[in-house]
């Protein structure tokens, strides 16, 4: 069986360093908000080329706390509109509604990232935030999005949960918008060994508010200036992430090599590859291939065919947010491009420890698919 992604294999590469980092934290006797967190925040901020990084418990909390901080700072109020891609993972939308804001769903472009043209069409007098989600490892068209935001005086919140290390014109994910939320869920390109997340920003005032909010609303113990939450990146996860961050670029390069093999060698009329021209238009560095997502009109048959060949695949994601029971008030809305994407996408195995032989097996199985299964 060729696994979609073996986290055991991924972490085995760094096992000695991870165990050493864990032992260092255990021996220190300090497990929350200590030197490991400070060191990771400093280094990840450097990698993203931003002034501030704030570790939090997970990626959803990162997005939640940014929007909440903007409300506390008077930049947002209940009911303000946030433009977000309709084909995102539900976490992006949950952060918006959790803060009493109004999601305005728009269709993606051919890259499956949010369309700048659709953003323009959706802007109203209530619009306050553009919320691009860098799906599958590819940055949205941030130069165009930032120009729109500047013209209309809008905030930009990047969801960078799938785009660690991606860049356009030398500017990294997490450094384009006014703020960004990252997830370090174990399967991400930079993955912890548990839940973890971070906020990045160049805004000192925002950073100060988020820093308090993540810690019960407090900068100083027992002095609470906000009604905060408990959302802290612990010392062990911070130490693990510091180890793996050293190898992020190397791991990304391996993903690109596998993706390049797929792009050059998969040749089947029943399988649509990611659009290479969209990657090229933004630069090859804009994609870090967190996922390699193909499309097929007979997706379920393709998945069954690949499973029969011993290849594990996943669907990211089968149901769009507006069709979820959690948002049943939107179930009658129609986003045909999004709905088609969610009915067609299939993620092939890709990862930093994947062998060329395994990639060749995936290619062979894809090329033998007859459209029926």
């Amino acid at each position: 069986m060729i696994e979609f992604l073996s986290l055991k294999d991924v972490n085995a590469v760094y096992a000695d360093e991870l165990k050493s980092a864990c032992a260092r934290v255990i021996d220190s006797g300090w497990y929350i908000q200590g030197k490991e967190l400070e060191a990771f925040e400093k280094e990840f901020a450097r990698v993203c080329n931003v002034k501030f990084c704030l570790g939090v418990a997970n990626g959803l909390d990162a997005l939640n706390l940014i929007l909440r901080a903007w409300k506390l700072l008077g930049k947002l109020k209940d009911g303000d509109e946030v433009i977000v891609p309709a084909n995102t993972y539900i976490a992006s939308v949950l952060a918006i509604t959790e803060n009493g804001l109004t999601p305005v769903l728009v269709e993606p472009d051919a890259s499956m990232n949010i369309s700048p043209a659709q953003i323009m069409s959706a802007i109203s007098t209530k619009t306050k935030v553009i919320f691009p989600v860098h799906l599958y490892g590819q940055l949205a068209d941030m130069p165009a999005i930032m120009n729109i935001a500047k013209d209309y005086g809008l905030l930009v919140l990047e969801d960078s949960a799938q785009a660690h290390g991606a860049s356009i014109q030398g500017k990294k994910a997490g450094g384009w918008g006014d703020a960004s939320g990252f997830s370090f869920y174990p399967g991400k390109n930079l993955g912890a060994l548990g839940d973890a997340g971070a906020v990045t920003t160049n805004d000192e005032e925002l950073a100060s508010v988020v820093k308090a909010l993540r810690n019960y609303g407090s900068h100083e113990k027992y002095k609470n200036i906000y009604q905060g939450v408990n959302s802290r990146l612990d010392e062990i996860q911070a130490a693990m992430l510091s180890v793996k961050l050293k190898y992020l670029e190397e791991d990304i390069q391996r993903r690109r090599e596998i993706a390049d093999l797929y792009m050059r060698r998969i040749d089947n009329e029943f399988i649509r590859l990611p659009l290479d021209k969209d990657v090229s238009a933004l630069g090859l560095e804009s994609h870090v291939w967190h996922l390699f997502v193909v499309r097929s009109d007979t997706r379920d048959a393709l998945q069954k065919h690949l499973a029969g060949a011993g290849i594990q695949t996943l669907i990211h994601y089968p149901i769009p947010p507006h069709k979820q029971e959690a948002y049943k008030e939107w179930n009658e809305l129609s986003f045909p491009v999004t709905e088609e994407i969610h009915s067609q996408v299939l993620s092939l195995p890709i990862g930093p420890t994947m062998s060329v032989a395994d990639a060749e097996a995936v290619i062979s199985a894809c090329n033998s698919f007859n459209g029926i299964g």
Side-chain angles (χ1 to χ4, degrees):
M1 167 67 74
I2 297 174
E3 291 184 68
F4 176 76
L5 178 68
S6 171
L7 294 178
K8 182 178 179 180
D9 289 348
V10 168
N11 290 312
V13 175
Y14 328 108
D16 290 343
E17 289 184 76
L18 292 172
K19 291 172 184 176
S20 177
C22 187
R24 184 175 68 244
V25 175
I26 292 170
D27 292 344
S28 76
W30 194 285
Y31 308 123
I32 299 288
Q33 291 192 302
K35 293 180 179 179
E36 300 289 347
L37 175 62
E38 183 180 350
F40 172 71
E41 289 176 333
K42 182 177 180 180
E43 183 60 14
F44 194 64
R46 185 194 67 78
V47 168
C48 296
N49 195 26
V50 295
K51 294 178 181 177
F52 305 101
C53 169
L54 299 150
V56 295
N58 54 68
L60 176 55
D61 279 4
L63 301 173
N64 257 328
L65 293 176
I66 292 165
L67 291 171
R68 186 170 174 189
W70 278 338
K71 290 186 75 175
L72 286 169
L73 290 167
K75 296 184 178 183
L76 297 176
K77 64 180 184 304
D78 285 353
D80 281 346
E81 293 180 352
V82 180
I83 297 174
V84 65
N87 63 313
T88 186
Y89 181 57
I90 198 170
S92 311
V93 182
L94 289 171
I96 298 169
T97 56
E98 175 69 17
N99 281 283
L101 303 168
T102 303
V104 176
L105 306 177
V106 301
E107 296 273 44
D109 59 22
S111 73
M112 294 189 280
N113 271 328
I114 193 168
S115 163
Q118 291 290 323
I119 291 172
M120 287 290 295
S121 298
I123 291 173
S124 76
T125 56
K126 293 184 178 181
T127 305
K128 293 296 183 290
V129 183
I130 304 174
F131 194 157
V133 182
H134 307 312
L135 276 179
Y136 311 146
Q138 184 178 7
L139 282 175
D141 188 348
M142 293 309 296
I145 290 169
M146 295 308 297
N147 284 336
I148 294 169
K150 182 179 179 181
D151 288 345
Y152 288 87
L154 305 176
L155 294 164
V156 175
L157 169 54
E158 295 176 78
D159 185 336
S160 300
Q162 299 186 12
H164 316 75
S167 64
I168 300 174
Q169 300 169 2
K171 186 177 287 191
K172 293 284 184 72
W176 278 93
D178 296 279
S180 179
F182 283 88
S183 167
F184 304 119
Y185 182 78
K188 303 298 186 185
N189 284 19
L190 179 61
L193 275 73
D195 272 325
V199 170
T200 59
T201 185
N202 285 309
D203 185 337
E204 185 173 7
E205 190 176 33
L206 174 67
S208 178
V209 175
V210 170
K211 188 173 184 178
L213 283 175
R214 73 177 180 182
N215 186 42
Y216 300 100
S218 172
H219 285 130
E220 184 180 346
K221 196 169 185 178
Y222 302 131
K223 292 185 178 179
N224 305 83
I225 54 178
Y226 306 114
Q227 295 176 28
V229 298
N230 177 8
S231 180
R232 301 176 299 203
L233 176 58
D234 68 70
E235 287 287 278
I236 285 182
Q237 294 302 339
M240 301 290 190
L241 286 166
S242 290
V243 169
K244 297 181 72 174
L245 183 56
K246 295 186 296 183
Y247 302 99
L248 178 60
E249 285 302 318
E250 181 181 324
D251 289 351
I252 288 171
Q253 183 55 35
R254 183 58 175 172
R255 288 176 177 273
R256 286 179 174 144
E257 290 168 2
I258 298 298
D260 181 62
L261 275 175
Y262 285 165
M263 293 295 288
R264 288 189 292 107
R265 300 279 304 284
I266 295 175
D267 185 10
N268 187 318
E269 64 179 312
F270 302 109
I271 299 174
R272 253 185 290 172
L273 296 172
L275 289 175
D276 186 54
K277 65 180 178 65
D278 289 305
V279 176
S280 299
L282 297 175
L284 295 176
E285 301 303 307
S286 71
H287 210 319
V288 292
W289 299 103
H290 170 58
L291 299 171
F292 191 94
V293 180
V294 300
R295 296 172 65 176
S296 175
D297 292 333
T298 52
R299 186 263 311 281
D300 294 345
L302 174 59
Q303 186 173 43
K304 183 179 178 180
H305 169 80
L306 293 175
I311 297 164
Q312 182 185 32
T313 58
L314 295 178
I315 299 172
H316 297 89
Y317 305 97
I319 306 172
H322 71 281
K323 294 298 184 182
Q324 298 283 357
E325 186 177 353
Y327 291 107
K328 54 183 177 291
E329 66 273 22
W330 299 344
N331 287 175
E332 299 307 312
L333 294 178
S334 175
F335 294 94
V337 175
T338 289
E339 288 156 25
E340 182 179 71
I341 286 171
H342 284 261
S343 71
Q344 293 178 343
V345 290
L346 188 68
S347 300
L348 303 182
I350 193 168
T353 61
M354 189 175 188
S355 69
V356 171
D358 281 351
E360 295 279 6
V362 174
I363 292 165
S364 177
C366 285
N367 288 342
S368 67
F369 178 58
N370 64 7
I372 301 172

